[in-house]
Amino acid sequence: QVQLMESGGGLVQAGGSLRLSCSAPGSIFRGNAVGWYRQVPGNQRELVASISMGGATRYADSVKDRFTISRDNTKNTASLQMDSLKPEDTAVYYCNILGPDLTRPLFSWGKGTLVTVSS
């Protein structure tokens, strides 16, 4: 059972910033792409950012130019720097290891970390 752990969420005012962190077992992390997802209750989970093994990044249009995904292969962690936050960014954020198509999550979801952006 692969355990994914997210941290760094919290309450922030609109326009503020947060940095989320994701950790995964090294044997899995280093050889695969990583994605950050978010989910609002009642809605489907959506992929907001991904980073390949080599560092190539992709972003959903809704977060482009505001969020930055990065990874540290020496620490088996991936981060999501979120700037210029908006109330509509409020959600539970999850990370997962991605399949070769860079969109399909491979493992069970962790607990996620809640981000709340107040207006």
Side-chain angles (χ1 to χ4, degrees):
Q1 184 75 10
V2 173
Q3 187 170 14
L4 302 165
M5 296 185 63
E6 304 92 350
S7 62
L11 173 63
V12 63
Q13 287 189 332
S17 298
L18 281 175
R19 186 176 182 89
L20 308 183
S21 183
C22 166
S23 64
S27 59
I28 294 169
F29 182 89
R30 286 188 292 270
N32 291 285
V34 180
W36 278 99
Y37 295 75
R38 66 185 181 188
Q39 186 173 29
V40 175
N43 289 4
Q44 285 192 333
R45 200 165 296 171
E46 64 167 334
L47 178 64
V48 297
S50 65
I51 185 166
S52 71
M53 282 188 294
T57 58
R58 295 181 183 178
Y59 298 94
D61 288 343
S62 57
V63 306
K64 200 171 294 183
D65 299 325
R66 300 188 298 119
F67 290 11
T68 304
I69 189 172
S70 60
R71 64 189 294 161
D72 185 338
N73 292 331
T74 66
K75 297 181 180 179
N76 304 323
T77 58
S79 297
L80 187 68
Q81 177 67 39
M82 305 186 297
D83 299 318
S84 303
L85 282 161
K86 304 175 181 180
E88 51 263 44
D89 294 319
T90 295
V92 179
Y93 285 73
Y94 303 85
C95 67
N96 213 311
I97 305 300
L98 300 179
D101 61 358
L102 300 184
T103 59
R104 182 171 59 92
L106 296 184
F107 299 104
S108 299
W109 298 102
K111 294 182 179 180
T113 186
L114 176 63
V115 172
T116 304
V117 184
S118 63
S119 56

